[in-house]
Amino acid sequence: MTWKLLEEKTFGGNRLEVIDYGKLAGSADAATAEKLYFLREAGMALKSVRVTLANSSLLVEPGALYYMQGKLGIETKVGGVLSGLMRSLAAGETLFANQIAGTGMVMLEPSFGHFLLVEIENDELVCDKGMFYAAVGDLTVKAKVMGLSAAVFGGEGIFQTVVKGTGVVVLMSPVPMEELVSYELTDGILSVDGNFALMRVGDINFTVKKSSKSWLHTAVSGEGLLQTFSGTGTVWLAPTQKIYQQLLLPGALQQLAEAGAARNNRT
């Protein structure tokens, strides 16, 4: 099989690669061939992450391992009963994490979704629940309790996932990297109308605030509550995520067209 390399990062002698399987031509029935045809026409490709370990270890979510080759062993790491229960019950993530250690090649479960390789150095990465897939380096993974306003009104739940330390993190993303927009904050503020802020790195505080000074102005402005990120660091937004979610609804294309026309008529 000829793979296409989409992205690559190295850390401590280890290599992480996002690969594209290329054209899938193994369908043996018309129904599967039809689905593959429309996937190709839509530009969707089957992708995976290949990790080459050099006497090192890889932290993976249970179920993420596809296969591995070499002198490698698997150990289940609880990471503390309390933090594990928090991740499992509240953050929607699994109780245990697997650590694959040794020298060899690890292939993670393929997906038609999108993989991100994010490198952090003595820093803290906070991401939406369910995004964490694997990591290489001196890293810890745990759940972070959100502030009251963020938990109740932010649309992100009570907990988010936190990866802390130095290394490379593999994340599952609802959109490809080229559709993400990053904003560097230096003691600054970023306000977002919606829950499409995927992740953040640095000393960033997350709260939910009214779009106007009073509840009355907030109600009539049409903007409502805003996710607010303040401090110093980087915030990544996925502006197209909301559109993809809307397209799953009946009559979505018509509604989006009418919304655009209504805005044009008001200007």
Side-chain angles (χ1 to χ4, degrees):
M1 174 175 286
T2 302
W3 289 321
K4 177 183 177 182
L5 180 62
L6 300 179
E7 186 181 3
E8 177 182 16
K9 285 188 181 297
T10 58
F11 180 83
N14 307 297
R15 186 167 69 251
L16 298 92
E17 303 166 289
V18 180
I19 60 173
D20 182 335
Y21 277 84
K23 182 179 179 181
L24 302 180
S27 57
D29 59 87
T32 303
E34 182 182 32
K35 292 177 181 179
L36 288 175
Y37 170 79
F38 285 111
L39 286 170
R40 286 196 298 269
E41 289 298 302
M44 297 181 67
L46 186 65
K47 297 175 285 293
S48 185
V49 175
R50 178 172 57 194
V51 182
T52 304
L53 294 175
N55 192 26
S56 187
S57 62
L58 171 71
L59 190 66
V60 298
E61 282 291 283
L65 173 64
Y66 203 34
Y67 60 90
M68 60 185 187
Q69 181 270 325
K71 295 181 179 180
L72 299 164
I74 302 178
E75 177 186 357
T76 299
K77 298 177 70 64
V78 179
V81 175
L82 179 59
S83 63
L85 286 173
M86 288 166 59
R87 292 180 63 201
S88 177
L89 300 178
E93 297 186 9
T94 48
L95 175 58
F96 301 103
N98 292 329
Q99 181 173 274
I100 301 174
T103 298
M105 185 274 294
V106 180
M107 188 70 74
L108 302 183
E109 281 276 354
S111 172
F112 282 101
H114 309 283
F115 294 105
L116 308 179
L117 302 182
V118 182
E119 188 169 359
I120 59 175
E121 182 175 355
N122 193 26
D123 215 334
E124 180 178 276
L125 181 148
V126 182
C127 61
D128 284 352
K129 55 183 179 289
M131 286 185 66
F132 177 81
Y133 207 58
V136 168
D138 183 15
L139 297 164
T140 59
V141 184
K142 61 182 181 179
K144 180 174 184 175
V145 182
M146 308 302 297
L148 180 62
S149 65
V152 176
F153 303 110
E156 303 292 351
I158 300 175
F159 297 89
Q160 284 189 306
T161 302
V162 177
V163 185
K164 191 172 183 179
T166 299
V168 179
V169 186
V170 181
L171 301 175
M172 288 285 292
S173 172
V175 300
M177 177 62 84
E178 56 265 28
E179 293 185 15
L180 295 181
V181 181
S182 64
Y183 289 93
E184 302 284 342
L185 301 181
T186 303
D187 195 21
I189 297 175
L190 174 67
S191 300
V192 181
D193 184 14
N195 59 340
F196 52 89
L198 289 189
M199 57 184 175
R200 58 190 184 272
V201 171
D203 186 14
I204 301 286
N205 184 45
F206 172 42
T207 58
V208 175
K209 297 183 179 180
K210 303 188 298 292
S211 60
S212 300
K213 291 184 178 180
S214 71
W215 284 107
L216 177 61
H217 288 160
T218 297
V220 300
S221 69
E223 300 301 334
L225 299 171
L226 300 177
Q227 288 193 354
T228 304
F229 302 89
S230 58
T232 299
T234 306
V235 181
W236 282 267
L237 305 182
T240 57
Q241 181 185 8
K242 183 177 180 180
I243 303 301
Y244 293 135
Q245 293 171 340
Q246 287 180 289
L247 288 174
L248 295 173
L249 303 175
L253 287 175
Q254 183 65 29
Q255 293 175 12
L256 287 171
E258 290 174 353
R263 291 190 186 94
N264 290 334
N265 290 335
R266 289 198 299 266
T267 57

